[in-house]
Amino acid sequence: MLSLRSSLYRCYPALSLLALVGLWQIAANATASATLPGPSEVLSVLAGEIRSGNLLHHLGATLSRLAASFVLATSLGSALGVLLGRHPRLDLFFDVWVMLFLNVPALVIIILCYVWFGLGEAAAITAVVVNKLPNVVVTLREGTRALDRNLLEMAESYRFGRIKTLRHVIAPQLFPFFVAAARNGVALIWKIILVVEILGRSDGMGYQLHLFFQMFDVAGILAYTIAFVGVIQLIEWGVFKPLETRAKRWRR
């Protein structure tokens, strides 16, 4: 009985997805409008875009921007967050900067980057990095503040040295914060990238979505959205879930 209940529990995500698709089909049948195509029509458009190579081209362009922005924002933000967390005077001085950039609307930063640096790839990446950087800084700063002082004192008393202390004491404690910043970063960055591509790029998922919008092609919009969300979910399951499990090991 217990194993049957456990099996049903594991099926809940699939059942939930089927229920969502079913409701979508019912709504499409009820409206009978081109503004709400059914699942089969959207999948047909998706298959056609894959066969033509358009989807893979635009998806690849967006993912390359996502990867570049993610690496830059996460590495710079982590270093700055640890620095501010370890040095209260620097934190007090730069806290105003961090709060300012946290509250500047993403659209404003994107427009300014395009105005200042032109409609190029560097401006697009810079806009995304500047939008994401403060979030990473805040997360890693809080993680650094939360470091166990007893463990740091123990490392000092046993003369671990800086490298050994960083590797065996500081890094394991900061790793969960790093994973949280990375996961939230991907979720935020891909949404910002779509806006960046709509405003100033000639390829990418955002560009295609804007093109479909101009043609009132809802099936195309939904097809590209499903493809991109599917890729992000694969990254979540294949990368961040294992990292999250690993991040909890140091507490055992």
Side-chain angles (χ1 to χ4, degrees), residues 45-115:
V45 172
L46 178 61
E49 290 295 308
I50 293 174
R51 286 194 299 268
S52 68
N54 288 334
L55 177 62
L56 297 179
H57 168 74
H58 293 292
L59 181 61
T62 297
L63 289 178
S64 65
R65 293 179 187 122
L66 187 150
S69 304
F70 174 81
V71 170
L72 288 172
T74 304
S75 57
L76 290 175
S78 297
L80 290 173
V82 172
L83 183 66
L84 296 183
R86 294 287 289 172
H87 300 280
R89 290 185 180 180
L90 283 177
D91 182 35
L92 184 62
F93 183 84
F94 287 106
D95 184 63
V96 176
W97 295 27
V98 175
M99 292 301 106
L100 175 65
F101 280 99
L102 270 176
N103 291 288
V104 174
L107 184 60
V108 172
I109 294 176
I110 294 169
I111 292 173
L112 288 176
C113 284
Y114 278 144
V115 170

Side-chain angles (χ1 to χ4, degrees), residues 31-43:
T31 57
S33 171
T35 58
L36 184 57
S40 59
E41 183 179 348
V42 173
L43 289 177

Side-chain angles (χ1 to χ4, degrees), residues 83-173:
L83 183 66
L84 296 183
R86 294 287 289 172
H87 300 280
R89 290 185 180 180
L90 283 177
D91 182 35
L92 184 62
F93 183 84
F94 287 106
D95 184 63
V96 176
W97 295 27
V98 175
M99 292 301 106
L100 175 65
F101 280 99
L102 270 176
N103 291 288
V104 174
L107 184 60
V108 172
I109 294 176
I110 294 169
I111 292 173
L112 288 176
C113 284
Y114 278 144
V115 170
W116 290 338
F117 308 120
L119 298 177
E121 200 69 28
I125 299 298
T126 301
V128 180
V129 171
V130 172
N131 273 298
K132 177 53 190 171
L133 192 62
N135 299 84
V136 182
V137 171
V138 169
T139 303
L140 269 296
R141 182 181 65 179
E142 295 307 312
T144 305
R145 288 174 177 174
L147 289 174
D148 192 327
R149 301 299 172 185
N150 293 326
L151 293 177
L152 292 174
E153 291 174 3
M154 179 200 70
E156 184 177 354
S157 64
Y158 279 95
R159 303 180 185 275
F160 271 23
R162 290 187 177 182
I163 301 299
K164 195 172 181 180
T165 300
L166 177 63
R167 180 180 177 184
H168 296 287
V169 179
I170 296 177
Q173 295 183 69

